[in-house]
Amino acid sequence: GQQLNQSPQSMFIQEGEDVSMNCTSSSIFNTWLWYKQEPGEGPVLLIALYKAGELTSNGRLTAQFGITRKDSFLNISASIPSDVGIYFCAGLVLGDWGTSGSRLTFGEGTQLTVNP
Amino acid sequence: DGGITQSPKYLFRKEGQNVTLSCEQNLNHDAMYWYRQDPGQGLRLIYYSQIVNDFQKGDIAEGYSVSREKKESFPLTVTSAQKNPTAFYLCASRAPRGSQFFGPGTRLTVL
């Protein structure tokens, strides 16, 4: 089946630093999604990407849909303590839309710790 | 406000008992999903439903059951056949372009 390799697994950074994480796959995806999950809560959608090459920002967050459709990255600029959490990428194959319920494939997550 | 609600937030169950987790959405989404999350791990799909009165098994359906009698509701029953039920359970619904929106989760502990 499809797999997403998300890296790094964890990051320990100082407040104010920039952060970069990425997801890669051997399969092509038509949609890339980035989520953030805080302890004991459900994941919250940060950014959705629908087109190869697309670069989208949400405040200090920027994500890009890779040209090959097999990867995506998320950057966080000028990190702050409330950025702490687990960041997940997820990919969607358009062909799944009608047949298999539009199932998402999730990365394993990047645990981000920000030291004040 | 539109969103997904899950209840209860914390649930304790004795071994051998069935328990039902609630999931309700008022986003008018057709498709809904149940995921299981274990500590330090990603999300694993239990069951999903594309439309009322229809549902399919995900990757780890054994020991679980669902129903979809109303568009807004997709309850999950964790049966006594589930060998390791202690976990964090997440419900989600799908927007038209494929994004999924999650509820706050239910933490189930088997005593």
Side-chain angles (χ1 to χ4, degrees), chain B residues 66-93:
Chain B
V66 294
S67 63
R68 187 84 187 278
E69 297 175 4
K70 298 187 301 182
K71 187 175 186 177
E72 301 79 17
S73 178
F74 190 38
L76 173 74
T77 297
V78 184
T79 75
S80 57
Q82 168 50 233
K83 292 185 172 55
N84 295 299
T86 294
F88 190 48
Y89 290 89
L90 289 160
C91 177
S93 68

Side-chain angles (χ1 to χ4, degrees), chain A residues 31 33 35 37 39-45 48 50 86 88 92 96-104 106-109, chain B residues 9 31 33 35 37 41-43 45 48 50 57-59 88 90 94-105 107:
Chain A
T31 298
L33 306 170
Y35 291 90
Q37 185 179 27
E41 301 295 330
V44 173
L45 182 65
Y50 300 106
I86 303 176
F88 290 100
L92 172 67
D96 286 345
W97 189 260
T99 54
S100 61
S102 191
R103 291 179 52 160
L104 293 179
F106 287 91
E108 291 295 312
Chain B
K9 181 71 173 171
Y33 305 78
Y35 295 90
Q37 188 176 35
Q41 296 192 27
L43 304 173
L45 183 64
Y48 60 99
Q50 297 190 73
K57 293 181 180 179
D59 300 320
F88 190 48
L90 289 160
R94 186 190 77 207
R97 294 188 77 178
S99 303
Q100 289 186 18
F101 293 90
F102 288 84
R107 185 166 300 282

Side-chain angles (χ1 to χ4, degrees), chain B residues 5-101:
Chain B
T5 57
Q6 292 185 242
S7 60
K9 181 71 173 171
Y10 300 95
L11 191 55
F12 297 89
R13 185 195 96 176
K14 290 183 180 177
E15 265 192 66
Q17 288 181 338
N18 291 355
V19 64
T20 297
L21 282 59
S22 166
C23 177
E24 304 277 331
Q25 55 103 356
N26 61 4
L27 300 167
N28 200 33
H29 291 164
D30 287 317
M32 297 184 72
Y33 305 78
W34 273 105
Y35 295 90
R36 170 182 172 137
Q37 188 176 35
D38 293 287
Q41 296 192 27
L43 304 173
R44 292 187 290 167
L45 183 64
I46 305 172
Y47 266 99
Y48 60 99
S49 167
Q50 297 190 73
I51 200 165
V52 173
N53 293 323
D54 182 65
F55 48 82
Q56 284 84 39
K57 293 181 180 179
D59 300 320
I60 55 165
E62 185 176 349
Y64 300 98
S65 66
V66 294
S67 63
R68 187 84 187 278
E69 297 175 4
K70 298 187 301 182
K71 187 175 186 177
E72 301 79 17
S73 178
F74 190 38
L76 173 74
T77 297
V78 184
T79 75
S80 57
Q82 168 50 233
K83 292 185 172 55
N84 295 299
T86 294
F88 190 48
Y89 290 89
L90 289 160
C91 177
S93 68
R94 186 190 77 207
R97 294 188 77 178
S99 303
Q100 289 186 18
F101 293 90

Side-chain angles (χ1 to χ4, degrees), chain A residues 66-112:
Chain A
I67 288 291
T68 65
R69 296 180 178 270
K70 294 182 179 180
D71 61 350
S72 178
F73 72 75
L74 175 71
N75 285 345
I76 305 173
S77 63
S79 59
I80 59 178
S82 62
D83 289 334
V84 165
I86 303 176
Y87 292 79
F88 290 100
C89 63
L92 172 67
V93 177
L94 207 58
D96 286 345
W97 189 260
T99 54
S100 61
S102 191
R103 291 179 52 160
L104 293 179
T105 300
F106 287 91
E108 291 295 312
T110 295
Q111 172 73 61
L112 178 63

